[in-house]
């Protein structure tokens, strides 16, 4: 089955050059809510991220992002929509292209 995904630009909080390209990264979460005292309030969805290209002289990359379940809020992934990625802490900001 072909996984649905969308194109995005990701602004990483640290140098992304150590991440592999064209490989789906796992264990990344999108939080639709907030974190207070290390506890998550609101919905969370696991996403896959595949870096497709590093952007020269920056910590940004082009990437594909995909939720792993059909029940996730796919309707939000429209051009210009932005959200944070979380993997134990905020690690990046995604903007859908």
């Amino acid at each position: 089955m072909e996984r649905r995904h969308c194109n995005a630009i990701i602004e990483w909080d640290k140098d992304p050059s150590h991440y592999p390209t064209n490989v789906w990264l796992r264990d990344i979460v999108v939080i639709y809510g907030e974190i207070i005292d290390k506890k998550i309030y609101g919905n969370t969805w696991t996403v896959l991220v595949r870096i497709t290209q590093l952007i020269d002289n920056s910590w940004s990359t082009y990437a594909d992002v995909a939720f792993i379940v059909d029940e996730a809020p796919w309707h939000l992934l429209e051009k210009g929509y932005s959200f944070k990625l979380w993997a134990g802490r905020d690690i990046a900001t995604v903007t859908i292209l």
Side-chain angles (χ1 to χ4, degrees):
M1 179 175 136
E2 181 67 23
R3 181 173 306 282
R4 295 183 298 163
H5 63 273
C6 58
N7 298 318
I9 191 166
I10 301 178
E11 297 176 35
W12 298 89
D13 292 348
K14 64 179 194 174
D15 184 358
S17 64
H18 71 279
Y19 294 123
T21 56
N22 296 311
V23 174
W24 288 107
L25 304 175
R26 302 180 182 281
D27 301 325
I28 299 175
V29 175
V30 176
I31 299 171
Y32 292 105
E34 58 185 337
I35 300 171
I36 300 172
D37 296 327
K38 299 184 181 182
K39 184 170 178 165
I40 298 172
Y41 295 89
N43 291 328
T44 61
W45 297 96
T46 301
V47 291
L48 299 175
V49 173
R50 178 174 58 192
I51 296 171
T52 56
Q53 181 182 352
L54 297 173
I55 298 175
D56 292 337
N57 302 315
S58 76
W59 284 1
S60 297
T61 63
Y62 291 107
D64 296 325
V65 295
F67 289 116
I68 63 170
V69 295
D70 288 336
E71 296 80 21
W74 286 93
H75 65 283
L76 294 177
L77 301 184
E78 295 181 355
K79 184 177 180 176
Y81 183 71
S82 185
F83 56 90
K84 294 275 194 177
L85 295 180
W86 190 83
R89 63 174 182 80
D90 285 341
I91 61 169
T93 302
V94 175
T95 302
I96 303 301
L97 297 176

